[in-house]
Amino acid sequence: MAKRSKSITDKNIDRLSSFLSREISSSSMLSAEIPNGAHVFHGAYNDNSLTEDNLKMATNIMLGMTLGYVEEAPLVMIFEYQPNRETLIDLSSEACKRSAQVLIRRIQETNQRELSNRLDELVAA
């Protein structure tokens, strides 16, 4: 029987469980650096699909915050860079937010130009 691969949800729950167990039993206290209300994502040196999938989710949430349909909150990734060695990465830095805002402005400007051109074509016809 083929082994079923774990879903991203299962992987994230496993990572969170391991992280919390280590935090309780050690004095690293990385959890103290996580801002209240933050969206927490996991990444790992040995699981590119988990890391990429979580970065995509974080990007979608940041886009939602930029557009105003997701409540503003910090985005952080607990990244395992070696076995049981983790660091916290801020995914919602001001530079990331500015990039998202610039992208949205470009899309708005392009759409506005296209609509203007269509209206001009209709008026000229």
Side-chain angles (χ1 to χ4, degrees):
M1 185 177 195
K3 186 177 179 182
R4 187 180 84 107
S5 64
K6 284 186 171 182
S7 72
I8 187 170
T9 303
D10 291 336
K11 288 180 180 182
N12 279 318
I13 290 170
D14 289 347
R15 294 276 176 174
L16 179 61
S17 175
S18 296
F19 172 73
L20 293 174
S21 294
R22 281 191 304 281
E23 284 294 296
I24 290 170
S25 66
S26 75
S27 61
S28 79
M29 300 315 278
L30 186 61
S31 60
E33 296 178 38
I34 299 172
N36 286 338
H39 296 274
V40 179
F41 301 91
H42 297 275
Y45 71 96
N46 62 350
D47 193 341
N48 287 336
S49 66
L50 172 74
T51 305
E52 289 174 14
D53 286 345
N54 280 331
L55 286 173
K56 285 178 189 175
M57 275 197 289
T59 301
N60 287 336
I61 290 172
M62 181 176 286
L63 180 61
M65 287 189 292
T66 304
L67 292 172
Y69 65 86
V70 174
E71 188 174 336
E72 191 76 26
L75 301 172
V76 296
M77 177 174 276
I78 300 169
F79 187 76
E80 183 181 37
Y81 58 93
Q82 290 178 354
N84 298 322
R85 302 279 319 259
E86 297 158 323
T87 188
L88 201 63
I89 300 171
D90 180 6
L91 300 176
S92 57
S93 67
E94 286 305 311
C96 290
K97 288 178 184 178
R98 280 193 301 276
S99 293
Q101 291 167 344
V102 166
L103 175 64
I104 290 167
R105 264 190 247 117
R106 285 183 187 155
I107 291 169
Q108 288 172 327
E109 289 167 1
T110 300
N111 287 342
Q112 188 174 6
R113 254 191 324 273
E114 288 176 6
L115 289 172
S116 260
N117 290 340
R118 285 186 203 161
L119 290 174
D120 289 344
E121 290 171 4
L122 287 172
V123 169

